[in-house]
Amino acid sequence: MVTLDLRHVASPAVRDLLNLVNHPDFDRAQQQIERLGGCTEPVRLTGHTTTVDTTTGEVLRSYTSSDEPTGSLLTACGNRRASRCPACSRLYAADTYHLIRAGLSGGKTVPDTVRTHPRVFVTLTPPSFGPVHNRLTAPGGDVRPCRCRKLHELDDALIGTPLNPATYDYEGAVLFNAHASTLWARFTTYLRRAIAAGLGMTQKAARAVLRVSFAKVAEYQQRGLIHFHAVIRLDGPDGSSQPPPPYATVAVLAKAARATAARVRVTVTSDAVGERELGWGEQFDVREIAAFGTDAEFSDQAVAAYVAKYATKSADASGALDRALFCRPCQGRGATVLPHGTPLPCTACDGTGQALPLSRLAVARHVRQMIRTCWELGKLPEFADLKLWKWAHMLGFRGHFSTKSRSYSTTLGALRAARRTWRTEQARVHAGLPESGPPTTLVVGQWDYLGSGYSPGAALLATGVWHRKELARQFAAEGGC
C-alpha cells in the first residue's frame, strides 16, 4: 500500500486548506467564512469588545479577535461591484430593489397609495462621438448588417468599438462621462421648471402643490459611455404620503421630461480641446410605469428588478477596469513635493503617476484609448477639478451609480441599520445575554484594520460557500423546493 503526501504535490492553496482543516478550531474558522456568505475579499479586523452590566459592573460577554483561528475577525467587504465580490453585490442589488420597489408600490415607511401617483421610467443616453460597430435588428427580430457590412454575433468584441478609431472623438467621449453627473443634476432642475411651465404656474406655485421625486442608476454602454435609467414620480408637497393635484398627470410629466432632455447643456472650454457643448443624445425614452400585478413591460416589479440589476455593474461591464490605475504613494502626480518646494520623482511609478503602464492593461484597444485620453486630459490645469487621472479606470465617470431624491423612499442606510439590528439581536440570543436595553448594558471595544482577503486555503472555502448558495438560489428560482 502506497501513501501519498498531498502536501508535497498539491498547490499552495490546497496545502493551506489542508493545514486549515487540521486546525483544532477549524469549525470556528469555517463558521466565520459561512457567515460571510461567500464574500471574496473580507476585511480583517483585530481588537476586542466587552459587554458590561452598568448596574452591577459584571462582565456579561468578552470577545477578542486573537481567539479566532486566523487571529482576526472577518467582516464582509460590502463592495457593490459584481466583478469584485458577487456575494456582497447581490446583497447591494437586493437593497436597491427594495428601495426602488418601495417608491413604486409602498412599504419601508412609504404608504401603499404611492402606486396611484404619476410615474415614468426615463432613459437618458449619450450622444454619438463617431460611428461604432453595432448589432442591428429589424422589427421582426432579424439581424441586419452593421456599417462594416458584417453580421455581428452577440459576443463579438467589435461591438461598441469605433469603425474608424482615428476619427473617433475620444476627448468628447471622456468629457461627457466626466460631466454626466452635472447633466443629470441640471436635468432634475430644469424638469421642475418645465413641469411648472406645462401647468401654467410659477415655480413657487408649483412647489406649493407638488414635488418631483426620483431614483436613478447609471449604466455603461458597450462603447464605454455612461447613460442613466431613472424612475420619476410626482407627489404632493409633503412627499410620498400625499398625492399630487389631479391636473399633474403622467402626460404632463412625460412631456416635461422630453423637453428637458433636449434642453440640458454643459459648455466646456479649453485651449487644448476648444469649446465643447455637451448634452444628452437623441435616443431618449420615457414610459409610464404600470401598476403592480399587471402584464405590462414596465410594471413596478419589473422596473425595480431592472434598476437593481444595473446598480451592481461598473466600467468592467464595458470591458474596462474595476480598480484605480493611479499610483497611491504619489496620488497619481508622478512626484512628491519636499517642504522647500523641490519635486521628488516617485520611485513606485517611475514618475508616470500610473500604477501600471497602459501597454500592460488587459483591455481592448478602444478602452485603452479612453483611459489614455483620461490620463492626458487629466494633466491639463483646466481639467484638474475633474480628477480624470484618478477616475481613468471608470473612463472619466466619477459620479454615484445609484442616487435618489430625499422623499422618494427609504434609504440604503435605513435598510442596513435594520439588518444590523436583527443580527445584533441574533448575536444576543446566541450569547445568552439578558434582554436589556442600552441603559443597563454598555459595549466597550477597540478595533483596528489588519488587512483584506483570505489565506489561499480559506479562499477555496469561501468559493465553495458562494457556489453552494448560488446553486441553491438558482434551484429556488426555477421552482425547486
Side-chain angles (χ1 to χ4, degrees):
M1 180 177 180
V2 179
T3 302
L4 180 63
D5 189 351
L6 293 177
R7 292 175 296 179
H8 299 295
V9 298
S11 65
V14 174
R15 290 198 299 267
D16 184 66
L17 177 60
L18 291 174
N19 292 331
L20 183 61
V21 170
N22 291 321
H23 194 283
D25 291 333
F26 168 71
D27 290 342
R28 172 55 187 167
Q30 187 178 28
Q31 183 184 22
Q32 274 210 79
I33 295 173
E34 289 277 354
R35 182 177 56 84
L36 296 178
C39 175
T40 58
E41 196 171 358
V43 177
R44 302 197 307 272
L45 301 175
T46 179
H48 61 88
T49 181
T50 304
T51 304
V52 181
D53 190 326
T54 56
T55 59
T56 63
E58 178 187 1
V59 176
L60 301 177
R61 183 173 181 265
S62 181
Y63 173 82
T64 304
S65 61
S66 59
D67 296 336
E68 297 289 353
T70 59
S72 61
L73 173 66
L74 300 179
T75 61
C77 67
N79 201 308
R80 67 162 187 83
R81 292 176 173 86
S83 60
R84 294 285 293 274
C85 183
C88 290
S89 71
R90 186 170 293 282
L91 184 61
Y92 183 92
D95 284 346
T96 302
Y97 171 82
H98 288 293
L99 185 150
I100 299 296
R101 174 78 175 273
L104 292 172
S105 304
K108 311 294 183 183
T109 71
V110 180
D112 295 344
T113 53
V114 74
R115 65 183 59 183
T116 63
H117 296 196
R119 307 162 306 170
V120 295
F121 185 67
V122 169
T123 300
L124 295 161
T125 62
S128 173
F129 296 98
V132 298
H133 293 274
N134 205 347
R135 177 181 168 86
L136 305 174
T137 56
D142 296 331
V143 180
R144 296 165 50 192
C146 175
R147 292 188 181 184
C148 66
R149 300 182 180 179
K150 295 182 180 179
L151 296 176
H152 295 295
E153 299 295 334
L154 288 173
D155 57 350
D156 194 335
L158 284 177
I159 296 179
T161 62
L163 291 172
N164 187 357
T167 60
Y168 191 78
D169 186 9
Y170 280 101
E171 293 175 342
V174 166
L175 290 175
F176 175 85
N177 279 350
H179 291 86
S181 296
T182 302
L183 287 170
W184 168 255
R186 294 191 179 184
F187 174 82
T188 58
T189 299
Y190 295 167
L191 177 62
R192 295 180 177 93
R193 298 175 183 175
I195 292 174
L199 295 175
M201 307 170 67
T202 64
Q203 296 181 49
K204 182 178 181 180
R207 285 195 300 268
V209 296
L210 62 83
R211 173 180 294 187
V212 178
S213 300
F214 63 84
K216 68 95 172 146
V217 66
E219 180 196 357
Y220 277 91
Q221 295 179 334
Q222 288 181 298
R223 54 180 173 149
L225 291 171
I226 205 76
H227 70 289
F228 295 133
H229 303 288
V231 175
I232 305 177
R233 189 186 70 216
L234 292 182
D235 300 328
D238 295 333
S240 59
S241 61
Q242 189 177 18
Y247 49 80
T249 62
V250 170
V252 171
L253 177 57
K255 182 179 179 179
R258 292 190 182 93
T260 302
R263 176 188 174 193
V264 173
R265 292 290 184 273
V266 172
T267 302
V268 178
T269 304
S270 167
D271 293 337
V273 301
E275 183 175 305
R276 300 291 185 95
E277 190 177 68
L278 305 173
W280 301 113
E282 296 180 356
Q283 293 183 349
F284 172 81
D285 187 52
V286 55
R287 308 224 186 153
E288 180 181 2
I289 300 176
F292 175 72
T294 63
D295 295 331
E297 179 182 0
F298 289 90
S299 64
D300 293 1
Q301 186 175 9
V303 169
Y306 188 77
V307 172
K309 172 184 175 182
Y310 291 107
T312 60
K313 289 190 175 183
S314 57
D316 59 286
S318 62
L321 306 171
D322 59 4
R323 297 175 186 267
L325 289 172
F326 73 98
C327 174
R328 294 192 180 276
C330 69
Q331 293 295 302
R333 299 180 181 90
T336 56
V337 180
L338 298 177
H340 50 76
T342 303
L344 182 65
C346 177
T347 58
C349 64
D350 298 327
T352 63
Q354 301 173 12
L356 188 68
L358 295 182
S359 59
R360 292 173 54 189
L361 296 179
V363 295
R365 175 184 175 185
H366 173 61
V367 174
R368 183 180 291 108
Q369 185 57 41
M370 290 277 287
I371 294 174
R372 182 178 288 111
T373 304
C374 286
W375 209 265
E376 293 172 353
L377 293 179
K379 299 298 182 180
L380 300 177
E382 56 265 38
F383 297 133
D385 60 325
L386 299 179
K387 297 183 179 180
L388 292 172
W389 51 267
K390 183 177 181 180
W391 298 100
H393 67 295
M394 301 292 285
L395 310 184
F397 178 67
R398 67 188 193 282
H400 294 287
F401 268 77
S402 177
T403 60
K404 73 174 192 65
S405 61
R406 182 174 300 178
S407 61
Y408 176 79
S409 70
T410 185
T411 64
L412 292 176
L415 295 175
R416 292 164 182 162
R419 185 162 52 246
R420 187 165 51 249
T421 300
W422 182 85
R423 288 176 175 172
T424 301
E425 177 63 16
Q426 295 298 308
R428 182 196 66 78
V429 174
H430 179 74
L433 297 178
E435 188 175 353
S436 56
T440 59
T441 59
L442 177 66
V443 179
V444 181
Q446 179 178 349
W447 295 97
D448 298 310
Y449 174 75
L450 185 62
S452 299
Y454 297 102
S455 66
L460 291 178
L461 287 177
T463 302
V465 170
W466 163 248
H467 282 295
R468 188 175 70 251
K469 289 182 175 293
E470 184 67 7
L471 288 175
R473 185 190 68 82
Q474 293 177 4
F475 181 71
E478 294 172 358
C481 58

